[in-house]
Amino acid sequence: MQQAGSSGSEAEVTWEDQQNINSFGRLNNRLHELDDEIKTAKETNENLEDASNELILTDEEIVRFQIGEVFTHVPKDEVESRIEEMKEVTSKNLEKLEEERETIVAQMAELKKILYGKFKDSINLEEE
Amino acid sequence: MSASASATERRGIPAAVFVEDVQTYLSQLNLDVNSALAFLQERLQQYRVVEMKLLAQQRDLQAKIPDIEKCLDVVATLQAKKGTGEAIIADFELSEGIYSRARVEEADSVCLWLGANVMLEYSCEEATTLLKKNLENAKASLEVLVADLQFLRDQVTITQVTIARVYNWDVHQRRHKKTPAATSSES
């Protein structure tokens, strides 16, 4: 975990520095959460892809589609459209998450510049 | 004087005091370095305990929300089928690995599990309203919880930085105590 280490340097820590360090910590936490969320979203996308591929292959007219905890008997066409909808939703969500991730990485790079600039060796902002 | 964070505490979590100057801080507290470090470490431990608790609550809420959404899905499906006069045929899990088929006709009402071994019957509309309200509440609680966690983590960071600075200050002091032998003007 990132923390302010020391090698006996003299730079004093101001409230602004502390706030920067706090922001960096928050962004880093959010980054890890985002990485997990992105992984889950990608898995969901893959599953939906697999599902729609299976749909094309099957010759059954009625497909068992999971709603809640039960599998309802739904005509193939309806299942197709439902899966398309779900794929749209997941793709948009994934896009949003990846955009947020990019923003956070950029903000963290900025803060690193500022903090390393002031504290040089006295601070360690790298992932262990 | 030490400047403090914008809130002195948040929902029972004490804010960490930001230290402007280590020397002043130590004399204010009237503690020597080791006692101060011990005090700060203890604070850090307390923060960690609260963090564990909040994280557990967060996990619970994060599991609850998709559950409520699934329920809303089911009720919506029942309502959609109501008009058509068709029955819904569904396969459900009777026991682990064993499924059975159910035929649901004209679903006018649903039963909702309220917890504590209580289940109430509601019309589809009422059920949707209740479930939506529960979903709103869960999402709002989650937001507050996330804000609490952020506040807590900030206090942890401030405390860690303070510990490092007190320690450094001490090292610095000791080093200076050693060198005066060459520069003292004792005669």
Side-chain angles (χ1 to χ4, degrees):
Chain A
M1 182 167 87
Q2 280 78 345
Q3 15 176 312
S6 96
S7 54
S9 131
E10 300 292 338
E12 262 314 309
V13 180
T14 64
W15 177 232
E16 199 188 317
D17 295 326
Q18 181 67 71
Q19 285 180 304
N20 280 342
I21 298 175
N22 287 352
S23 299
F24 187 83
R26 282 195 194 198
L27 288 174
N28 190 48
N29 282 331
R30 181 66 193 139
L31 188 67
H32 287 298
E33 280 176 18
L34 269 180
D35 281 337
D36 284 337
E37 286 179 31
I38 289 179
K39 189 166 136 229
T40 314
K42 283 194 175 153
E43 274 171 26
T44 312
N45 243 354
E46 267 180 46
N47 289 341
L48 289 172
E49 262 311 311
D50 289 343
S52 60
N53 289 341
E54 285 294 323
L55 252 195
I56 299 176
L57 293 175
T58 186
D59 50 4
E60 292 177 30
E61 243 324 294
I62 303 274
V63 182
R64 265 155 289 187
F65 184 78
Q66 182 179 24
I67 298 187
E69 297 295 322
V70 302
F71 296 89
T72 54
H73 290 207
V74 185
K76 195 161 129 185
D77 299 326
E78 201 184 317
V79 178
E80 255 180 69
S81 32
R82 285 214 194 207
I83 295 202
E84 281 310 311
E85 261 180 58
M86 285 166 75
K87 276 206 274 188
E88 273 259 358
V89 167
T90 331
S91 299
K92 284 221 184 80
N93 192 34
L94 189 62
E95 241 185 75
K96 204 177 60 144
L97 289 175
E98 293 193 320
E99 258 182 55
E100 193 187 338
R101 190 183 195 280
E102 271 180 42
T103 320
I104 290 193
V105 168
Q107 285 176 328
M108 280 171 75
E110 263 309 304
L111 282 173
K112 267 193 189 180
K113 252 196 312 188
I114 299 177
L115 289 170
Y116 277 143
K118 173 151 184 202
F119 293 109
K120 302 189 201 15
D121 281 339
S122 301
I123 196 169
N124 173 32
L125 298 169
E126 304 309 314
E127 207 69 40
E128 263 155 38
Chain B
M1 233 339 175
S2 313
S4 57
S6 49
T8 45
E9 61 108 56
R10 188 193 153 103
R11 295 179 14 117
I13 308 170
V17 171
F18 177 69
V19 169
E20 288 284 0
D21 176 58
V22 179
Q23 177 109 43
T24 326
Y25 175 67
L26 286 175
S27 47
Q28 264 188 338
L29 282 186
N30 209 5
L31 287 176
D32 66 303
V33 174
N34 287 329
S35 314
L37 283 176
F39 165 72
L40 290 169
Q41 289 286 10
E42 207 191 302
R43 255 307 166 79
L44 205 58
Q45 273 307 94
Q46 291 168 341
Y47 284 148
R48 292 269 185 240
V49 167
V50 178
E51 190 181 0
M52 293 285 108
K53 198 178 69 158
L54 289 181
L55 282 175
Q57 285 176 351
Q58 187 188 27
R59 271 193 298 269
D60 286 341
L61 276 175
Q62 281 174 330
K64 211 166 132 185
I65 289 177
D67 273 349
I68 304 181
E69 287 173 342
K70 273 197 230 172
C71 291
L72 274 170
D73 239 350
V74 174
V75 178
T77 310
L78 285 175
Q79 272 191 304
K81 280 289 191 186
K82 232 180 6 175
T84 68
E86 285 169 22
I88 299 181
I89 305 189
D91 294 339
F92 65 98
E93 195 176 25
L94 204 54
S95 171
E96 180 122 11
I98 303 176
Y99 289 78
S100 180
R101 193 152 290 170
R103 187 191 176 87
V104 184
E105 289 180 359
E106 272 318 303
D108 280 321
S109 62
V110 289
C111 296
L112 291 179
W113 178 264
L114 300 180
N117 282 341
V118 174
M119 180 179 263
L120 270 190
E121 189 175 354
Y122 292 91
S123 73
C124 284
E125 286 84 15
E126 285 172 340
T128 310
T129 313
L130 181 66
L131 286 170
K132 282 201 176 142
K133 192 173 71 107
N134 286 352
L135 189 63
E136 288 305 314
N137 289 345
K139 287 188 176 169
S141 299
L142 191 61
E143 257 186 61
V144 169
L145 200 69
V146 166
D148 283 349
L149 265 171
Q150 285 183 330
F151 173 77
L152 185 66
R153 292 206 174 112
D154 278 354
Q155 307 319 305
V156 166
T157 310
I158 296 179
T159 310
Q160 286 174 322
V161 170
T162 308
I163 290 178
R165 288 169 62 204
V166 168
Y167 183 77
N168 289 357
W169 179 87
D170 186 43
V171 167
H172 196 65
Q173 291 295 98
R174 286 174 202 268
R175 240 186 252 152
H176 273 220
K177 278 205 195 110
K178 285 196 185 139
T179 48
T183 57
S184 78
S185 52
E186 243 150 44
S187 60

